[in-house]
Amino acid sequence: MPMIVNTAAYHFVSIADAEALSAQLLERARAGALRGTILVSAEGLNLFLAGSGEGIDSFYRQLHADPRFSAMRVKYSHSRMQPFARLKAKVKQEIIRFGREDAQPLEHARAPAVDPRTLQRWLRQGHDDAGKPVVMLDTRNEQEIAHGTFAGALTLPIVKFTDLPEALAPHRSALADATVVSFCTGGIRCEKAALWMRNDGMANVLQLDGGILGYFEAVGGEGYDGRCFVFDERVALDAQLQPLVDRDEATCAA
């Protein structure tokens, strides 16, 4: 039985025609029999789509042909089951809600990032290349963290992303002499979080390029305990990007 191709992608770029783009992408996804979520805002695009390899390839080939999204990175994984019940498209004020003027990607330079292989080396040696301790800062919520996180990471008791600034406040002084690496599932939240922290005076903050899923793709699960929660019926992925919950059609019919 052919496997379902699951994708996650986001890109911060100015979009003047959010309503029209949302409708266009919805029709393309329908034409490819895809399911999932399309989020569009003036600040960019955030996608969670799954379907056949042919449908996925066609959708992203057309999307990458648009100069605004030619550099958009797509993360792939596979499952026997379709993890989304339906297809929907929405226009939002932000493609991930944070509500901070000092974390607007279109108004500020992108925060510096660390790539997965460099982070793997830092975690192995116990410090960065300047000899500073590395603190992994989880920007996800408690539900996600319960399934897994980086070993020794600083986790915060938050329910939603907008809670992060207040929850981080008591820890800021203790982080002053470390290299702080913010991370999340696919990179979108830690990108905004790192931008906000640097603009708020924390010059020692980096973001993990590609998030946890990008780390799994590049180096596997070294330094990570457990699975990575995803917001669909797969529940969570292991370091080989295999779902915690997966069923073929026969199992679902039974």
Side-chain angles (χ1 to χ4, degrees):
M1 178 181 296
M3 296 290 280
I4 296 293
V5 181
N6 307 290
T7 65
Y10 78 92
H11 193 61
F12 289 117
V13 65
S14 179
I15 296 178
D17 58 339
E19 292 284 355
L21 180 62
S22 177
Q24 180 187 62
L25 295 182
L26 181 62
E27 284 307 306
R28 283 186 194 168
R30 281 176 177 158
L34 306 183
R35 297 183 194 174
T37 302
I38 299 167
L39 299 178
V40 186
S41 81
E43 70 175 9
L45 184 60
N46 193 11
L47 303 170
F48 304 93
L49 293 171
S52 69
E54 181 180 357
I56 287 290
D57 288 346
S58 175
F59 180 90
Y60 284 105
R61 184 169 57 250
Q62 293 179 76
L63 186 61
H64 283 139
D66 185 327
R68 294 175 295 180
F69 308 111
S70 60
M72 181 182 224
R73 177 182 176 184
V74 184
K75 301 178 189 69
Y76 295 87
S77 62
H78 298 81
S79 61
R80 291 191 301 272
M81 75 177 198
Q82 166 59 262
F84 299 104
R86 60 192 179 96
L87 174 67
K88 58 185 177 181
K90 296 181 179 181
V91 175
K92 300 275 195 176
Q93 286 191 323
E94 298 178 83
I95 54 174
I96 183 68
R97 184 170 174 269
F98 196 35
R100 305 282 310 201
E101 290 298 324
D102 45 2
Q104 296 301 314
L106 302 186
E107 298 177 10
H108 304 279
R110 188 174 189 260
V114 58
D115 66 89
R117 295 195 183 278
T118 298
L119 178 62
Q120 178 190 42
R121 178 166 52 80
W122 287 358
L123 296 178
R124 282 178 177 175
Q125 66 194 26
H127 55 78
D128 68 9
D129 293 334
K132 295 176 65 175
V134 175
V135 175
M136 301 299 297
L137 173 61
D138 202 326
T139 63
R140 302 172 303 154
N141 66 45
E142 291 179 302
Q143 178 188 11
E144 298 169 87
I145 292 167
H147 286 269
T149 188
F150 279 94
L154 172 58
T155 60
L156 303 172
I158 65 176
V159 175
K160 54 187 184 297
F161 187 41
T162 51
D163 296 336
L164 187 142
E166 182 178 357
L168 180 64
H171 303 277
R172 291 181 59 149
S173 60
L175 299 174
D177 296 323
T179 292
V180 179
V181 179
S182 70
F183 68 92
C184 62
T185 304
I188 186 170
R189 282 174 288 181
C190 58
E191 180 164 344
K192 278 200 170 187
L195 183 58
W196 162 69
M197 285 185 278
R198 291 184 70 90
N199 285 336
D200 201 46
M202 295 180 66
N204 57 327
V205 175
L206 307 173
Q207 60 181 306
L208 174 56
D209 202 19
I212 299 166
L213 298 183
Y215 186 86
F216 284 175
E217 282 184 344
V219 303
E222 184 176 347
Y224 191 93
D225 291 336
R227 296 174 179 263
C228 179
F229 181 86
V230 289
F231 290 92
D232 59 56
E233 293 184 13
R234 295 169 296 165
V235 182
L237 305 182
D238 66 16
Q240 289 72 49
L241 300 175
Q242 297 301 304
L244 175 63
V245 176
D246 201 5
R247 301 180 296 272
D248 58 28
E249 291 183 2
T251 303
C252 291

